[in-house]
Amino acid sequence: MTDTAISLTSVKKSHFKRIGLMGRAGKKSIITTLNELIHLLTQWGLDIAIDTNTASIDGIHIGGRDDHIKIVPRGRMGEYCDLVMVVGGDGSILQASTVLAGTGVPVLGVNRGRLGFLADINPERLAVELSEVFAGEYHIDERFLLKMQILGSDDNGHMQVFHESYALNDVVLHAGKSVHTIDFKLQIDDIDVYRQHADGLIVATPTGSTAYSLSAGGPIIHPNLDAICLAPMHPHTLSSRPIVVAGTSKITINIHKDNRTQPMVSSDGEASVPLDNNQTLLITKHDKSLILLHPLDVDFYQACRTKLNWSLYTEEFSLKDE
């Protein structure tokens, strides 16, 4: 039986009938895979929703659209889809998380990135691996996000939110283009933790523990844990180490009055915003989570072995007995 025949059988059994497609410009391979998905899903008779950003990428072949293909605003993808496929790397899924968190719509990643801890589908085996997903051979993984707020007083002395954003990976306090360290104070649940001189601080979810936080010496945290990691960046002391706190923690950061540089804050690597001495950076768990969908043969430890080159198979060593 051909791959197409196997896939068609799976599609008929699947409860995923309206498929969303998201990707971003920049790589020819992403455009190629998006076009393959459009062709494949159309061949299978599934309804397709493509967000406006993706549909506008030069080279995307939507053809003569009919009732089976809709172009919708990115922020409304959750209203039109049973499942959203994101083509790219983890960065593409981070972007998708801001609009799909809390919608209950699962996200399936097709890996066209570098590491791809979140994107599991092999683009060279689209028909086969998608047919397995449509046949119900997958597991669900719920990931929480962080909410970042910059708080301060307005002209009348009333507290207000000057900036708010969300992060699936991390919120990063950094010194921007300056070569000076940042002088800041950290509180957790309104309890003083330390005053620190460092290049910054990475506040990461378990999802983000394998990203920037890992490069800063932070621990790898299993995604099932309800925990947040705080990893200092080049602290000006040998005794400062990453700490892991409860996911329900309220993390408060204030810039000390003696600080000499302009601190910046970024969520998931997006455009940074300034944090002034008279403002407070508040980081808490977001009340909405993102649902990821993984094939059955993909698990967190397998991803670590593959992406981080743990326990490479050699003639002398194998995870399985011969």
Side-chain angles (χ1 to χ4, degrees):
M1 186 178 292
T2 65
D3 290 346
T4 301
I6 294 172
S7 302
L8 284 171
T9 302
S10 302
V11 168
K12 292 177 182 178
K13 298 178 181 177
S14 176
H15 61 275
F16 297 131
K17 301 300 183 184
R18 298 173 299 172
I19 312 300
L21 296 180
M22 297 177 67
R24 56 181 176 179
K27 292 179 68 174
K28 184 178 179 180
S29 60
I30 292 178
I31 297 173
T32 298
T33 300
L34 282 168
N35 285 330
E36 289 175 356
L37 281 170
I38 292 170
H39 175 75
L40 194 60
L41 297 174
T42 300
Q43 188 178 33
W44 292 345
L46 294 169
D47 291 335
I48 302 172
I50 306 176
D51 76 282
T52 49
N53 294 17
T54 303
S56 64
I57 297 175
D58 187 30
I60 298 297
H61 300 148
I62 300 175
R65 285 184 295 153
D66 53 30
D67 293 338
H68 293 290
I69 300 180
K70 295 183 182 297
I71 309 298
V72 300
R74 174 162 288 200
R76 299 187 63 188
M77 285 289 281
E79 301 175 24
Y80 288 87
C81 308
D82 303 316
L83 171 69
V84 172
M85 297 182 186
V86 179
V87 180
D90 287 355
S92 298
I93 295 181
L94 294 181
Q95 285 191 338
S97 69
T98 59
V99 296
L100 293 171
T103 64
V105 177
V107 174
L108 178 64
V110 180
N111 189 13
R112 279 298 189 184
R114 185 169 56 90
L115 285 178
F117 268 91
L118 303 177
D120 303 316
I121 296 295
N122 183 347
E124 306 302 325
R125 302 181 69 247
L126 274 181
V128 173
E129 295 194 6
L130 288 182
S131 70
E132 293 171 352
V133 168
F134 286 132
E137 298 179 15
Y138 62 84
H139 61 94
I140 292 295
D141 182 13
E142 187 172 354
R143 305 289 182 96
F144 74 83
L145 286 75
L146 296 175
K147 178 170 74 171
M148 179 271 278
Q149 294 178 309
I150 294 179
L151 308 175
S153 299
D154 61 18
D155 294 338
N156 298 318
H158 300 130
M159 187 64 66
Q160 72 175 65
V161 178
F162 286 90
H163 180 81
E164 181 173 296
S165 59
Y166 305 95
L168 179 63
N169 264 358
D170 47 44
V171 175
V172 180
L173 172 71
H174 62 97
K177 298 180 180 180
S178 174
V179 295
H180 293 290
T181 58
I182 303 172
D183 184 355
F184 63 92
K185 296 183 292 183
L186 171 69
Q187 288 185 320
I188 297 175
D189 294 330
D190 299 320
I191 300 174
D192 292 333
V193 178
Y194 53 56
R195 176 180 171 185
Q196 183 79 265
H197 286 265
D199 283 356
L201 183 70
I202 303 170
V203 182
T205 65
T207 302
S209 71
T210 53
Y212 196 9
S213 175
L214 184 64
S215 300
I220 294 175
I221 303 175
H222 193 281
N224 287 349
L225 291 178
D226 186 14
I228 297 172
C229 176
L230 296 90
M233 300 162 59
H234 301 98
H236 200 222
T237 172
L238 296 177
S239 62
S240 183
R241 293 291 184 268
I243 58 176
V244 178
V245 301
T248 55
S249 300
K250 181 178 75 170
I251 299 166
T252 308
I253 298 171
N254 288 99
I255 305 303
H256 196 272
K257 59 182 177 61
D258 294 335
N259 185 68
R260 295 185 297 164
T261 188
Q262 174 63 71
M264 307 293 289
V265 187
S266 176
S267 297
D268 279 348
E270 294 298 313
S272 298
V273 294
L275 177 66
D276 296 332
N277 291 19
N278 60 349
Q279 295 177 324
T280 295
L281 174 61
L282 176 63
I283 302 171
T284 55
K285 181 193 288 187
H286 190 19
D287 59 0
K288 297 177 180 178
S289 58
L290 180 71
I291 298 176
L292 296 177
L293 190 150
H294 303 287
L296 285 183
D297 62 349
V298 174
D299 62 74
F300 180 68
Y301 301 115
Q302 183 265 349
C304 287
R305 289 196 304 272
T306 305
K307 311 300 181 182
L308 301 178
N309 290 329
W310 285 1
S311 305
L312 290 177
Y313 283 82
T314 67
E315 292 180 359
E316 296 79 20
F317 177 81
S318 173
L319 290 177
K320 296 181 179 180
D321 295 332
E322 297 295 336

